[in-house]
Amino acid sequence: MNKTIIVSNRLPVDLKYENSTLVAKGSTGGLATGMKSVHKDGNGIWIGWSGLIEQQINSSKAKEVDAILWQEKCVRVPLTQNDIDNYYYGFSNSALWPLFHYFQSFTEFEIEHWNAYKEVNEKFAAVILEQAKDGDTVWVHDYQLLLLPQLLRKANKNITIGFFLHIPYPSYELFKTCPWRDDLLEGMLGADLIGFHTYDYVRHFISSVGRLTNYEVHFSEIHYQNRIIKVDCFPMGIDYTKYNTAALARINQKEDSKTELMKSLDVHNDSHSDSKLILSIDRMDYTKGIANRIKSFEYFLTKYPQYVGKVRLVMLAVPSRENVPQYQRLKREIDELVGRINGEHSLLNWTPIWYFYRALPFDDLIDLYVSSDVAMVTPIRDGMNLVAKEYVATRTQGSGVLILSEMAGAAQEMHEALIVNPNNFEQIADSLKNALEMPAIEQRDRIQALQKRISRYNVELWASEFLKSLQLAKSFIPVQVAEKLSEQVLDSIHQNFKSAKKKIFLLDYDGTLAGFKNNPIDAYPDDELLILLDSIAKLENTEIAIVSGRDRTTLMEWFGDRAYTLITDHGAWLRKKGENWICQDHFKTEWKANVRPIFETFVDRTPGAFIEEKEFSIAWHYRKADAEMADLRKMEFKHVLKGLLSNDFLSVLEGNKVLEVKNSNINKGRASLQLLQDENYDFVFAIGDDWTDEFMFNDLPQSTFTVKVGNVNTAAKYYIEDISEVRPLLHAIIRT
């Protein structure tokens, strides 16, 4: 049975000695939670650093460590202190982390760090390749392992590789400043699917590939040698049920079961009935904007003095990378800011900032979440930020307001929060006032809308959607590189056609027989095409089948009076020439009522887009829309659909300037095989131009002559440059 191998810098367990006994304790982090169903509940292992350097593990302890980790379905990568200093604290966190977060002044490019980064990625590859077998899936996580996908690809081309970046991907102008930018890009391009949190990061990555390499980029696909690499965004969620359930347990909680922190919060609330708590939770990191947050809170107190003595900022800063000079300077700055503000603004019974510099247990975190009236999540730059989602999940009473930085990836989907620029103290102060005075009904409406979204697209669905997309991306990778259709090959096809006793042409329509139009109804077949098709259909023992994604009403209007076989709706309906229509299966259509309003919303938001509703599918066309806007809307639309279509019988089909939702088991390959199975054809020719035709190329018999229009990365045997060559090709095959 094939397995899934998860790879990250750190394993999801912490190794510690308790009474001289080594024990492994599971992590409660977002990644560990999201991967639980893949890792422990599935047929998978996790590979990463154990947290213990090799100097701490002598030969006698190594077997003990490995055995304990194996019980947790984990395998360690051996790292030395030099590796950690130069690979982790060096290149990963002194070069990549500040660069990708737009802190270029903090970026250090050292050759020693780069060499260590390469060596550690190679160490990871060696351990993975010991575990990975043909057919396995490897999912690599984050910026510490950007070189790893290509190292794995070169060593074993028969594994499926996914990569996900959990931090922002910077703009091309910034990324190109890295001396080893080409190596980093090549490393990531070893994956079959590359995932990011937001469309902006996807766009930046695609831009870097397009400008720094010679690889062809088509929308969210990169044509890399004989592979197609898919790039997409998957906004990471949280374990919503865990946080929501824990918050619900706080309601009517008995006094003796409360945490000490909760008791202190209760005392504060009881003695200050009109006071409000504003919550700030972050790692102590310069990307989080903690200093700006404190300064903006001070400005709020100055601008709105009526809140002095009534509003308190509860700030939790979790220690991080304490041996790095920049983080040490940040810690001193925060300490001094809090001390100065508390010293200048405190009253006899009121301190403006409660400051905690420590990690808190889960129960204490929940207490802070449920007790706070407002959450300030205002990073200067953040890949996603799960704190914002955790706060929303704990608002079980429908109250509370989230103030969220527009620089956090979460802002792309949490529109009901109060979105702010983290550098605009005026805006933040006004937003704080708005949050504190917001009517209860507005709070409820905003919170419920946010909860509906993040409860649906939780962390498990995030992981599931990525892996599902990864398998789909792998299935699209052609089994061979198509050969350009030469005169010699054409002569061979012609000779086979002449000598065959029973012949059939399987012809895609849009993009193959006819060019694309802004409006699909304008693609009516011209006289030249009809004359060509009729001449083929009239040949002895020769049939034509139009295999199209169009609906049967349209194709009947165009070709119903001709002696052609018609396959419509991507394979849902079949009408052999001279016979009645046959539905290939009993497909469900009830789902369309739930999906249609989503389509209508995106039509309203995208001028020039329109809906085409078919019997078993709904399509969103955006050929007439502004290209940049359409790309943005398409990515948003895909994410909405992924969250909505959690069942197995529906899938999203991405065509040429169109997104279509259809039944998963409808495809051109299945319908084409159905057409061939009752007849003994000894000449089969199939031609098409997009991914819908790949099903046909994959499923048809090996003896079929398959031709792709305009794309060498295909499962077809041959390709031609563009649509202008299609009709001359057909003429050449049937020539006398």
Side-chain angles (χ1 to χ4, degrees):
M1 181 179 178
N2 294 335
K3 60 182 176 293
T4 299
I5 300 174
I6 306 162
V7 188
S8 62
N9 175 62
R10 283 294 300 268
L11 289 172
V13 295
D14 292 321
L15 294 177
K16 293 182 179 179
Y17 280 97
E18 294 184 356
N19 299 322
S20 300
T21 301
L22 188 64
V23 295
K25 293 187 176 181
S27 170
T28 58
L31 184 60
T33 302
M35 296 288 99
K36 182 180 177 182
S37 59
V38 180
H39 178 217
K40 290 195 173 182
D41 299 341
N43 181 35
I45 60 173
W46 198 310
I47 293 176
W49 179 46
S50 67
L52 299 176
I53 59 174
E54 288 306 283
Q55 288 87 338
Q56 296 173 291
I57 306 175
N58 55 37
S59 56
S60 61
K61 292 180 180 179
K63 291 184 178 179
E64 178 189 10
V65 170
D66 291 340
I68 289 176
L69 289 176
W70 188 250
Q71 291 176 1
E72 301 292 327
K73 302 174 73 172
C74 292
V75 176
R76 69 184 177 93
V77 177
L79 299 184
T80 66
Q81 186 62 55
N82 183 69
D83 292 332
I84 299 304
D85 290 341
N86 293 299
Y87 143 79
Y88 181 72
Y89 290 114
F91 193 75
S92 294
N93 289 305
S94 296
L96 294 179
W97 179 267
L99 180 69
F100 281 40
H101 284 85
Y102 292 75
F103 284 81
Q104 193 174 15
S105 62
F106 289 179
T107 304
E108 301 173 5
F109 296 122
E110 300 289 345
I111 188 66
E112 183 182 9
H113 294 168
W114 168 245
N115 288 334
Y117 186 82
K118 291 192 295 182
E119 290 170 6
V120 170
N121 273 253
E122 289 167 357
K123 287 184 178 182
F124 270 82
V127 174
I128 294 165
L129 292 168
E130 289 177 357
Q131 301 291 334
K133 307 302 180 186
D134 288 357
D136 285 349
T137 295
V138 180
W139 187 358
V140 181
H141 290 269
D142 229 1
Y143 64 104
Q144 302 95 342
L145 302 171
L146 296 180
L147 302 179
L148 185 55
Q150 192 66 267
L151 293 171
L152 298 175
R153 175 69 58 199
K154 290 180 178 178
N156 188 340
K157 293 180 171 58
N158 298 316
I159 57 177
T160 302
I161 303 170
F163 177 81
F164 194 90
L165 187 69
H166 291 268
I167 65 174
Y169 190 90
S171 70
Y172 160 73
E173 292 296 332
L174 196 60
F175 182 73
K176 73 177 182 179
T177 64
C178 178
W180 303 285
R181 64 199 187 189
D182 297 338
D183 303 81
L184 296 174
L185 276 183
E186 285 289 333
M188 296 174 72
L189 292 174
D192 299 304
L193 172 66
I194 301 172
F196 301 90
H197 283 303
T198 74
Y199 170 69
D200 285 343
Y201 308 154
V202 170
R203 181 168 54 86
H204 291 326
F205 178 75
I206 290 290
S207 177
S208 293
V209 172
R211 296 186 182 195
L212 294 173
T213 74
N214 294 320
Y215 306 129
E216 179 185 350
V217 177
H218 182 70
F219 295 108
S220 60
E221 297 172 354
I222 301 166
H223 296 196
Y224 181 90
Q225 298 171 0
N226 67 330
R227 299 189 298 118
I228 290 182
I229 301 162
K230 301 284 285 186
V231 186
D232 207 343
C233 56
F234 304 83
M236 188 175 182
I238 62 169
D239 186 348
Y240 181 88
T241 301
K242 174 183 176 181
Y243 284 89
N244 187 255
T245 302
L248 285 170
R250 297 303 192 273
I251 301 175
N252 299 322
Q253 188 180 30
K254 293 182 178 179
E255 189 66 26
D256 57 2
S257 63
K258 292 182 178 180
T259 65
E260 290 303 315
L261 176 61
M262 193 67 207
K263 291 176 182 177
S264 298
L265 291 169
D266 286 344
V267 170
H268 169 267
N269 291 332
D270 291 342
S271 58
H272 301 79
S273 58
D274 59 346
S275 72
K276 301 285 186 179
L277 293 182
I278 301 169
L279 180 64
S280 165
I281 297 179
D282 279 304
R283 283 190 311 107
M284 182 64 79
D285 193 289
Y286 51 77
T287 67
K288 302 300 182 180
I290 300 174
N292 278 7
R293 195 173 312 153
I294 296 171
K295 292 174 184 176
S296 64
F297 177 68
E298 181 183 28
Y299 181 76
F300 162 77
L301 294 176
T302 302
K303 183 175 182 180
Y304 300 108
Q306 65 268 34
Y307 285 102
V308 171
K310 296 181 179 179
V311 173
R312 175 176 280 119
L313 176 63
V314 181
M315 193 176 72
L316 173 65
V318 179
S320 176
R321 301 166 190 161
E322 294 175 278
N323 60 336
V324 177
Q326 288 148 346
Y327 289 78
Q328 294 169 350
R329 289 194 293 270
L330 176 65
K331 169 68 165 52
R332 287 196 297 270
E333 180 187 7
I334 299 304
D335 289 347
E336 291 169 2
L337 270 174
V338 172
R340 180 183 63 77
I341 293 172
N342 279 343
E344 292 179 3
H345 296 276
S346 291
L347 302 178
L348 186 62
N349 62 345
W350 175 78
T351 304
I353 301 176
W354 278 353
Y355 173 44
F356 303 91
Y357 179 66
R358 66 178 82 114
L360 289 183
F362 178 76
D363 286 343
D364 285 348
L365 286 176
I366 297 298
D367 290 340
L368 286 177
Y369 281 140
V370 300
S371 302
S372 301
D373 303 281
V374 178
M376 283 182 70
V377 183
T378 55
I380 296 174
R381 185 77 60 172
D382 211 340
M384 172 51 65
N385 195 297
L386 300 182
V387 168
K389 297 185 177 184
E390 292 168 3
Y391 175 76
V392 168
T394 61
R395 309 314 299 168
T396 56
Q397 303 301 302
S399 61
V401 181
L402 172 64
I403 299 175
L404 180 61
S405 166
E406 63 186 356
M407 302 300 182
Q412 299 296 317
E413 54 182 316
M414 303 183 76
H415 311 295
E416 293 80 6
L418 299 183
I419 307 298
V420 298
N421 183 321
N423 301 305
N424 189 332
F425 295 176
E426 192 82 34
Q427 184 186 36
I428 294 175
D430 292 343
S431 295
L432 273 172
K433 182 175 185 294
N434 183 9
L436 294 168
E437 297 176 357
M438 184 177 292
I441 189 169
E442 183 180 349
Q443 292 185 40
R444 183 199 64 199
D445 290 345
R446 287 174 181 266
I447 287 293
Q448 287 181 351
L450 288 166
Q451 288 178 334
K452 183 178 180 181
R453 187 177 302 113
I454 67 173
S455 64
R456 183 177 66 244
Y457 199 88
N458 58 25
V459 68
E460 288 196 351
L461 185 57
W462 166 79
S464 173
E465 287 298 325
F466 184 91
L467 289 173
K468 188 186 299 183
S469 297
L470 176 57
Q471 295 307 317
L472 185 61
K474 183 67 173 181
S475 70
F476 280 158
I477 296 174
V479 296
Q480 62 185 42
V481 180
E483 175 186 344
K484 186 171 176 59
L485 199 147
S486 63
E487 288 296 329
Q488 184 178 358
V489 171
L490 181 56
D491 286 341
S492 174
I493 297 175
H494 170 62
Q495 292 301 326
N496 274 270
F497 174 78
K498 285 179 62 177
S499 61
K501 296 180 180 179
K502 193 167 184 61
K503 317 156 192 181
I504 187 169
F505 288 81
L506 301 168
L507 308 175
D508 173 50
Y509 187 77
D510 293 288
T512 303
L513 294 178
F516 289 103
K517 304 292 184 182
N518 281 339
N519 195 325
I521 63 175
D522 295 332
Y524 190 88
D526 56 83
D527 291 341
E528 179 190 48
L529 175 61
L530 292 174
I531 291 171
L532 170 59
L533 296 180
D534 286 344
S535 66
I536 297 174
K538 290 176 182 177
L539 294 173
E540 185 178 3
N541 298 321
T542 303
E543 296 180 30
I544 278 185
I546 306 295
V547 186
S548 174
R550 287 184 175 269
D551 63 274
R552 56 178 176 152
T553 301
T554 300
L555 289 195
M556 276 297 291
E557 178 185 344
W558 291 353
F559 304 115
D561 59 346
R562 287 178 153 78
Y564 308 160
T565 290
L566 302 178
I567 295 176
T568 70
D569 299 272
H570 297 294
W573 287 97
L574 166 65
R575 192 200 76 154
K576 295 183 179 180
K577 67 174 183 178
E579 298 183 12
N580 295 324
W581 285 99
I582 299 173
C583 185
Q584 296 294 82
D585 206 337
H586 296 291
F587 302 116
K588 298 178 181 179
T589 58
E590 298 87 354
W591 57 268
K592 292 202 293 182
N594 295 326
V595 171
R596 191 182 299 107
I598 308 298
F599 275 73
E600 292 169 349
T601 297
F602 277 85
V603 166
D604 294 341
R605 295 176 60 201
T606 316
F610 62 92
I611 296 173
E612 179 187 9
E613 184 163 348
K614 306 174 187 178
E615 193 163 3
F616 297 110
S617 66
I618 303 180
W620 179 70
H621 292 269
Y622 54 91
R623 184 171 299 278
K624 295 190 292 183
D626 174 79
E628 289 193 5
M629 175 179 285
D631 276 350
L632 175 62
R633 291 289 183 262
K634 180 188 73 171
M635 299 301 290
E636 292 179 357
F637 199 3
K638 285 169 66 177
H639 296 180
V640 171
L641 290 174
K642 284 176 182 177
L644 186 66
L645 307 179
S646 56
N647 44 55
D648 295 330
F649 71 88
L650 293 178
S651 60
V652 180
L653 186 68
E654 186 172 351
N656 195 310
K657 305 286 188 181
V658 60
L659 284 180
E660 188 164 357
V661 175
K662 68 177 187 65
N663 292 76
S664 298
N665 55 349
I666 296 176
N667 67 68
K668 293 182 179 181
R670 182 183 179 194
S672 299
L673 280 179
Q674 176 71 24
L675 177 61
L676 299 184
Q677 70 179 7
D678 297 328
E679 302 289 346
N680 189 26
Y681 295 103
D682 52 354
F683 176 87
V684 181
F685 177 89
I687 187 169
D689 75 299
D690 65 19
W691 284 119
T692 66
D693 302 304
E694 292 298 318
F695 293 104
M696 187 166 60
F697 299 149
N698 274 308
D699 293 348
L700 287 170
Q702 184 63 30
S703 59
T704 303
F705 294 102
T706 51
V707 179
K708 184 68 174 285
V709 179
N711 187 354
V712 299
N713 297 285
T714 174
K717 295 177 182 177
Y718 309 104
Y719 77 95
I720 57 178
E721 293 293 344
D722 54 48
I723 190 174
S724 67
E725 298 182 27
V726 174
R727 298 184 190 185
L729 170 60
L730 295 176
H731 277 294
I733 293 173
I734 65 171
R735 69 184 185 271
T736 56

